[in-house]
Amino acid sequence: MALSISTSTSYFNCVSSSNLPSSSSSPFKPFKFPPFWPWQKVKMGPLTVSPMGFGTWAWGNQLLWGYKESMDTDLQQTFNLAVENGINLFDTADSYGTGRLNGQSEKLLGKFIREFPGNRLQDDIVIATKFAAYPWRLTPGQFVKACRLRRPDSLLISPQVAVNLKRLDCSIGLRPGSSAVIGTESRRFDCITKASSMAGITTAGKKKAVEVFDSEEVLAVSLAKYTADLSENFCKERGCFTVVLSGGSLIKSLRKLLEPPYIDSIEWSKWHVLWVDERVVPKDHVDSNYKLAYDGFLSKVPILPGNVYAINDALSAEGAAEDYETCLKHLVNTKVIETSSASGFPKLDLMLLGMGPDGHVASLFPGHHLCNENKKWVTFIKDSPKPPPERITFTFPVINSAAYIALVVCGAGKADAVQKALGKDQSSDVLPVQMVSAEGEFKWFLDKAAASKL
């Protein structure tokens, strides 16, 4: 069996040798630590994967490696050890369909995922395969067959689909110009080709859509209907609707909910309102996201006061973050907030997010270490590059566990970040907004000015 490192070599060159002990007479270069360890996760487009991948080409390969079914127990233990240490990316190389092997590596991985004994949820496992175009694999049906070998709700990606598939110019962490296919259950590949920057991308049940509107006014009308429709659906299904707000211009874009027909038809008493981030300032302070939302929205709708969850502004940033996470856990325990079966993090119904000109979302800023936080639900920041410096924020695991995310971006001042996030030319520097995904649907709401460079 092979263990493959899926990080680029640049990962191991981030620490200056001046920061490490060395001897001028030593012929050896100092060891340089990677910025990510295997149990951490790295965002790659819509996927979140461990920086270390596990190669499984040998698993099931009778011709080259002498595989026997009696090895399955040991292989299961090897798989368990990898997952327990945070690895969730398993690369089968081109094992599928090679002669008489019949995709045994993929079949074994599916079996091992189902039988994994730990408490860790397995739905974030990613299986990657080459899908090389051998003569016996020249029809789309053979690719569909390969996809079906995986566990039904795990992701299967291929960086080198060679024949009979449309190119997908979507950013999923692959090199520019490569192709990719996401495993599906149907006879067709359930992907939407990104023919233009306005198209959606469907990945294993997760949908990313981009809509561009002629004006912010038209955008606000569409956002109101989108929110109201989700409110109706969730109130019928769950008896409540959890909504997460952010600051900035988002609140203004919610103004159409204050007008007929929505002001009268929405079941406001079933809404529960939280904030994706908040500045650690008094609630009546001009920088408070709570004050912004209250003045522009909450004071004008009959949401129950007990269903509005503001931070405790009497605490320190660290204390406020811990207190807000305790609040989330209480809402999970009382079934107001569901738990994601895929991630184990709280699953909010709708997150209404904005984006800064630098591509930040919530209080997760480009290059900041909090973008890699994957344990806490809520964390704090004391050195925000945008004032005020002290804030609390949801972490990406919580944001990305949401059922629906609406990302509202308006204005020419954000066009550069939008272009970087959605354009065809992908930079190695990932913006926080590019790390956003959703379990259900992730939808961009853009006005023409914000989309002007696409």
Side-chain angles (χ1 to χ4, degrees):
M1 75 189 64
L3 180 67
S4 64
I5 306 298
S6 61
T7 51
S8 68
T9 55
S10 63
Y11 282 0
F12 296 91
N13 296 321
C14 64
V15 181
S16 169
S17 60
S18 64
N19 297 329
L20 297 170
S22 62
S23 171
S24 58
S25 60
S26 173
F28 300 105
K29 294 182 179 180
F31 179 76
K32 298 180 180 181
F33 289 94
F36 301 104
W37 296 104
W39 55 87
Q40 294 178 296
K41 295 294 180 287
V42 178
K43 189 67 178 176
M44 298 173 66
L47 304 180
T48 302
V49 299
S50 51
M52 177 178 286
F54 204 104
T56 65
W57 185 38
W59 294 10
N61 196 319
Q62 299 172 353
L63 301 180
L64 298 179
W65 302 106
Y67 162 79
K68 298 179 181 179
E69 289 187 3
S70 60
M71 300 175 181
D72 287 0
T73 299
D74 290 337
L75 291 175
Q76 173 82 66
Q77 293 176 359
T78 303
F79 173 86
N80 294 349
L81 181 64
V83 175
E84 287 166 358
N85 284 276
I87 293 175
N88 73 331
L89 176 62
F90 293 84
D91 182 8
T92 69
D94 57 355
S95 69
Y96 169 71
T98 307
R100 300 189 300 274
L101 303 180
N102 296 319
Q104 187 66 13
S105 177
E106 288 87 347
K107 289 179 181 178
L108 286 173
L109 283 171
K111 175 177 179 289
F112 296 161
I113 293 169
R114 287 191 298 271
E115 297 182 3
F116 178 72
N119 294 324
R120 176 187 170 88
L121 293 167
Q122 304 102 339
D123 295 326
D124 63 344
I125 299 295
V126 177
I127 302 174
T129 191
K130 185 179 179 183
F131 279 173
Y134 294 120
W136 50 83
R137 199 187 305 153
L138 290 177
T139 66
Q142 289 299 311
F143 287 103
V144 174
K145 181 180 178 182
C147 289
R148 286 176 170 171
L149 291 173
R150 81 193 204 293
R151 185 169 181 259
D153 54 355
S154 64
L155 289 171
L156 175 62
I157 65 173
S158 170
Q160 298 178 20
V161 180
V163 294
N164 291 323
L165 294 175
K166 294 181 179 179
R167 287 175 65 93
L168 299 178
D169 294 322
C170 51
S171 171
I172 62 169
L174 304 175
R175 63 183 183 275
S178 65
S179 298
V181 62
I182 306 301
T184 66
E185 290 300 304
S186 63
R187 292 292 299 176
R188 64 187 177 84
F189 286 102
D190 192 15
C191 298
I192 302 173
T193 302
K194 189 181 177 187
S196 74
S197 59
M198 311 309 170
I201 300 170
T202 301
T203 59
K206 299 182 180 182
K207 183 180 179 183
K208 176 180 177 182
V210 179
E211 285 199 44
V212 179
F213 301 89
D214 287 337
S215 66
E216 191 276 337
E217 176 74 12
V218 179
L219 181 153
V221 172
S222 179
L223 181 63
K225 185 179 188 305
Y226 184 80
T227 304
D229 288 347
L230 288 176
S231 174
E232 181 179 4
N233 292 339
F234 278 104
C235 287
K236 286 180 180 179
E237 294 175 5
R238 300 185 53 236
C240 63
F241 183 43
T242 54
V243 182
V244 179
L245 302 177
S246 57
S249 59
L250 170 75
I251 300 302
K252 177 185 175 184
S253 296
L254 296 177
R255 64 187 180 278
K256 296 298 179 180
L257 289 172
L258 306 177
E259 302 175 4
Y262 307 120
I263 188 65
D264 300 316
S265 62
I266 288 178
E267 296 183 85
W268 297 106
S269 63
K270 295 183 179 181
W271 277 41
H272 292 258
V273 178
L274 302 99
W275 278 263
V276 71
D277 71 326
E278 179 58 286
R279 292 86 180 271
V280 184
V281 296
K283 292 183 180 65
D284 58 355
H285 192 280
V286 66
D287 288 328
S288 168
N289 284 341
Y290 171 84
K291 174 177 171 57
L292 178 67
Y294 182 83
D295 292 346
F297 181 66
L298 295 177
S299 62
K300 303 174 183 180
V301 292
I303 297 176
L304 299 177
N307 290 356
V308 177
Y309 307 96
I311 72 166
N312 185 342
D313 56 12
L315 300 176
S316 65
E318 183 175 7
E322 292 177 354
D323 182 73
Y324 211 61
E325 181 165 324
T326 299
C327 173
L328 282 181
K329 290 179 177 178
H330 171 73
L331 294 174
V332 168
N333 291 336
T334 57
K335 307 301 182 183
V336 172
I337 298 176
E338 293 187 321
T339 300
S340 166
S341 60
S343 69
F345 285 88
K347 183 177 181 178
L348 284 303
D349 298 333
L350 172 62
M351 288 205 183
L352 294 162
L353 303 181
M355 181 194 75
D358 60 352
H360 84 265
V361 292
S363 284
L364 299 166
F365 294 91
H368 200 281
H369 69 90
L370 289 184
C371 291
N372 297 319
E373 173 59 55
N374 61 4
K375 300 297 182 185
K376 295 180 179 178
W377 294 8
V378 184
T379 190
F380 66 96
I381 180 172
K382 290 187 174 182
D383 57 350
S384 167
K386 179 182 178 182
E390 295 195 356
R391 302 156 175 247
I392 73 163
T393 182
F394 283 4
T395 59
F396 272 122
V398 174
I399 293 173
N400 293 344
S401 294
Y404 291 85
I405 294 177
L407 182 66
V408 181
V409 185
C410 297
K414 300 179 181 181
D416 285 337
V418 171
Q419 191 278 331
K420 184 172 182 180
L422 296 177
K424 291 184 178 181
D425 296 331
Q426 296 297 315
S427 168
S428 59
D429 297 326
V430 178
L431 297 177
V433 71
Q434 293 174 279
M435 300 174 70
V436 176
S437 64
E439 287 200 6
E441 181 178 70
F442 173 29
K443 187 171 184 177
W444 288 69
F445 288 77
L446 303 173
D447 70 356
K448 271 191 173 181
S452 60
K453 296 189 177 182
L454 290 177

